[in-house]
């Protein structure tokens, strides 16, 4: 996707479909390949490569893509299975397992409680928001191929259908 540059049609399509850049995707795949679990006293990969356990193993790259596409679009597991030429069960398990392990393994890297939490909450309390510790914003991302029956629900001031993502800091 990045072969033709970050602004290429392929790179933009990849980002639209998976909500991350191809470079970040490759970083996630590399991280995913390092996750292990203890099976009978032996450390084994959570998402093994093809051939490590059997020849039917779905590669970690596909499992990460399935999970990212599921998170980005909310597509059904049946649709994801069709797109990836896997079974619906494989698509479901890949998405749920990857999200669970991603949260467990990356939580400390991306989520931290600020040292000055009490001070921040005090400021928000004085402003009339007791218990608040941050702020939020919403970004609207274009919703490709929105069905005609739901277009009016998703269309706002932008003039085209979008999905809103709320971010809280």
């Amino acid at each position: 996707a990045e072969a033709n540059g970050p602004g290429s049609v392929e790179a933009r399509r990849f980002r639209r479909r998976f909500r991350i850049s191809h470079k970040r995707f490759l970083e996630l795949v590399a991280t995913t390949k390092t996750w292990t679990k203890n099976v009978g006293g032996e450390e084994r990969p959570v998402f093994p490569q093809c051939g490590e356990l059997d020849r039917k193993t779905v590669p970690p790259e596909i499992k990460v893509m399935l999970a990212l596409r599921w998170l980005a679009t909310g597509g059904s597991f049946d649709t994801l299975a069709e797109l990836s030429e896997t079974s619906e069960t494989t698509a479901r398990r890949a998405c749920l397992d990857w999200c669970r392990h991603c949260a467990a393994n990356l939580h400390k890297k991306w989520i931290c409680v600020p040292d000055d939490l009490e001070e921040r909450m005090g400021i928000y309390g004085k402003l009339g928001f007791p218990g608040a510790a941050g702020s939020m914003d919403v970004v609207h991302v274009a919703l490709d191929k929105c069905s005609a029956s739901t277009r009016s629900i998703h269309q706002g001031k932008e003039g085209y259908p979008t999905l809103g993502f709320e971010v809280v800091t």
Side-chain angles (χ1 to χ4, degrees):
E2 299 271 338
N4 296 325
S8 69
V9 172
E10 293 85 5
R12 288 194 315 267
R13 183 181 304 131
F14 188 92
R15 183 160 178 83
R16 187 177 68 240
R17 288 180 176 166
F18 301 102
R19 303 291 190 244
I20 63 171
S21 68
H22 188 256
K23 180 181 176 184
R24 181 70 182 119
F25 163 74
L26 294 175
E27 291 170 3
L28 273 176
V29 169
T31 300
T32 299
K33 289 178 180 181
T34 66
W35 298 340
T36 60
K37 61 183 174 183
N38 191 314
V39 179
E42 182 182 336
E43 289 295 315
R44 291 199 179 163
V46 173
F47 299 101
Q49 293 286 345
C50 288
E52 283 186 309
L53 295 180
D54 61 45
R55 58 187 167 84
K56 293 183 179 181
T57 301
V58 176
E61 292 84 355
I62 299 298
K63 290 182 177 181
V64 173
M65 290 179 91
L66 284 167
L68 292 174
R69 188 75 182 258
W70 179 57
L71 292 169
T73 65
S76 70
F77 297 125
D78 177 57
T79 301
L80 293 172
E82 183 180 356
L83 289 171
S84 61
E85 296 182 4
T86 62
S87 70
E88 186 175 347
T89 301
T90 298
R92 180 178 44 77
R93 289 195 61 200
C95 293
L96 298 176
D97 287 350
W98 188 83
C99 288
R100 183 169 32 88
H101 285 283
C102 187
N105 289 287
L106 299 179
H107 181 270
K108 288 181 183 176
K109 180 177 180 179
W110 296 106
I111 300 174
C112 63
V113 177
D115 295 333
D116 60 345
L117 182 61
E118 292 295 326
E119 181 182 337
R120 290 180 190 205
M121 290 177 69
I123 293 169
Y124 279 97
K126 289 177 185 175
L127 295 171
F129 302 103
S135 61
M136 69 179 144
D137 193 10
V138 176
V139 63
H140 288 268
V141 178
L143 179 60
D144 294 339
K145 299 182 182 177
C146 182
S147 67
S149 62
T150 61
R151 186 173 181 88
S152 63
I153 296 170
H154 295 287
Q155 188 166 326
K157 64 180 172 68
E158 290 81 11
Y160 52 87
T162 64
L163 281 179
F165 291 90
E166 182 178 54
V167 178
V168 180
T169 59

